Amino acid sequence: MNKPTYFFLAMLLFSTGIYAQDTIMPLWPESIPNRISENEKEVREKGDILRISKVQIPSIEVYLPAPANRNGQAVLIFPGGGYHILAYDWEGTDIAKFLNSRGIAGIVVKYRLPTSEALTEKHKVPLQDAQRAMRLVRSRAAEWKIATDKIGIMGFSAGGHLASTLGTHFNEDVYKAKDSLDQMSARPDFMTLVYPVITFTGEATHQGSKKALIGENPPSELVAHYSNELQVSSETPPTLLIHAVDDLGVPVENSLLFFEALKANKVPATMHIYPKGGHGFSLALSDPYLRSWTDRLLEWLETMD
């Protein structure tokens, strides 16, 4: 075999392998709700972390485990970034690949950010994308060999706020139905919130996320609406909370408030609070103690069967 032919076949196999690992699908079939015509373009900055801002075409990136490994569970992943950017690999694709290694489908949601200038009623937009993502995944459950009652969500930091918003506002009508897919339930079957932003009231508020989502001087009704500890009901999905006491970015009180609300509404809740870890630790692979949080996650997910 000559070198050009060998190179072509090698590249073909390589590209086929990449395609088999993940599939990227847009969330919306045609017109995207609350989007206005602008010249704004998506920005991708690749350093130690891939940071995506000004998302224009929201999508899901699907990572499926090998058929022999899959257990029927799926987790939609919402990366954090203060509603300004998405820490897309750090709190997204790396998490999906980790879940894949344990037989769980990992689906990263590239949601629109309210700091974009190409949006109207900006506070509604992340939830629109989150609801649509859940419905889209549920509609593909048979194709992807996912159990329709084993589709959960995971969110980090501001992505944790969006996840907890979906978990408490899944029945809220935030967009007009686009197709039959929008008749499906947007309720997650379970959720994991990792150092999440939860409240927009009091000293525990992460001001950057609050301002990005609902503005600098929002009406009190909007503050309460997105303070998700106030929105928990008996229909809120079972929840796992992960946080560090020394988190100076998003105070641990965010998780504590949500845990108390879950308990008051008799929703199954598990919480692991670590003395150290700070904010934004992702898989915490370099911390021999904190990295065990993923073991706790896997143990908990087994109880969701």
Side-chain angles (χ1 to χ4, degrees), residues 181-214:
L181 186 154
D182 286 321
Q183 305 307 312
M184 307 194 80
S185 172
R187 180 185 181 274
D189 293 303
F190 51 87
M191 61 180 172
T192 299
L193 307 176
V194 188
Y195 40 86
V197 174
I198 295 292
T199 188
F200 286 164
T201 65
E203 295 182 358
T205 299
H206 183 255
Q207 295 294 339
S209 296
K210 177 182 178 181
K211 181 180 177 181
L213 186 65
I214 59 176

Side-chain angles (χ1 to χ4, degrees), residues 221-283:
E221 296 82 4
L222 210 55
V223 172
H225 189 70
Y226 289 107
S227 292
N228 291 326
E229 80 279 10
L230 304 179
Q231 306 302 326
V232 173
S233 73
S234 60
E235 296 301 310
T236 301
T239 301
L240 170 66
L241 293 148
I242 305 290
H243 222 123
V245 174
D246 66 348
D247 190 332
L248 300 180
V250 177
V252 70
E253 283 76 12
N254 282 267
S255 285
L256 298 175
L257 287 167
F258 202 70
F259 180 85
E260 288 296 330
L262 294 166
K263 179 182 174 185
N265 284 273
K266 297 181 171 54
V267 176
T270 302
M271 182 167 57
H272 293 285
I273 302 296
Y274 293 82
K276 294 182 180 180
H279 188 72
F281 48 74
S282 182
L283 293 169

Side-chain angles (χ1 to χ4, degrees), residues 17-234:
I18 290 178
Y19 183 79
Q21 288 175 8
D22 65 275
T23 301
I24 297 176
M25 301 178 62
L27 292 182
W28 303 97
E30 294 178 359
S31 62
I32 301 173
N34 290 62
R35 186 179 181 192
I36 57 178
S37 179
E38 289 285 344
N39 294 323
E40 189 176 71
K41 295 182 179 179
E42 179 176 297
V43 177
R44 300 169 72 93
E45 298 175 289
K46 181 61 177 174
D48 291 342
I49 296 172
L50 172 59
R51 293 172 171 85
I52 299 178
S53 59
K54 303 185 186 303
V55 173
Q56 301 300 303
I57 308 297
S59 62
I60 54 173
E61 186 165 356
V62 183
Y63 288 80
L64 300 177
N69 286 328
R70 64 188 175 216
N71 65 9
Q73 286 184 328
V75 175
L76 281 70
I77 304 159
F78 298 91
Y83 282 124
H84 287 78
I85 62 101
L86 303 179
Y88 194 75
D89 48 4
W90 181 246
E91 295 170 344
T93 54
D94 279 7
I95 307 300
K97 293 169 187 176
F98 166 77
L99 292 171
N100 266 195
S101 72
R102 300 301 190 272
I104 303 164
I107 299 159
V108 185
V109 184
K110 188 174 74 171
Y111 58 92
R112 288 172 293 161
L113 299 159
T115 45
S116 168
E117 295 302 319
L119 304 174
T120 61
E121 291 186 295
K122 297 181 179 186
H123 66 91
K124 291 184 177 180
V125 169
L127 180 58
Q128 290 173 343
D129 290 349
Q131 286 187 356
R132 179 72 182 188
M134 176 57 70
R135 289 168 173 145
L136 177 57
V137 172
R138 193 158 267 138
S139 74
R140 297 292 185 118
E143 176 186 345
W144 295 338
K145 309 301 181 187
I146 295 167
T148 56
D149 60 350
K150 295 182 181 180
I151 305 174
I153 58 177
M154 179 184 295
F156 297 79
S157 194
H161 184 267
L162 178 54
S164 65
T165 303
L166 179 59
T168 54
H169 298 71
F170 53 84
N171 275 333
E172 186 176 329
D173 292 326
V174 290
Y175 66 89
K176 292 182 180 180
K178 296 286 185 179
D179 48 34
S180 60
L181 186 154
D182 286 321
Q183 305 307 312
M184 307 194 80
S185 172
R187 180 185 181 274
D189 293 303
F190 51 87
M191 61 180 172
T192 299
L193 307 176
V194 188
Y195 40 86
V197 174
I198 295 292
T199 188
F200 286 164
T201 65
E203 295 182 358
T205 299
H206 183 255
Q207 295 294 339
S209 296
K210 177 182 178 181
K211 181 180 177 181
L213 186 65
I214 59 176
E216 192 163 5
N217 296 297
S220 58
E221 296 82 4
L222 210 55
V223 172
H225 189 70
Y226 289 107
S227 292
N228 291 326
E229 80 279 10
L230 304 179
Q231 306 302 326
V232 173
S233 73
S234 60

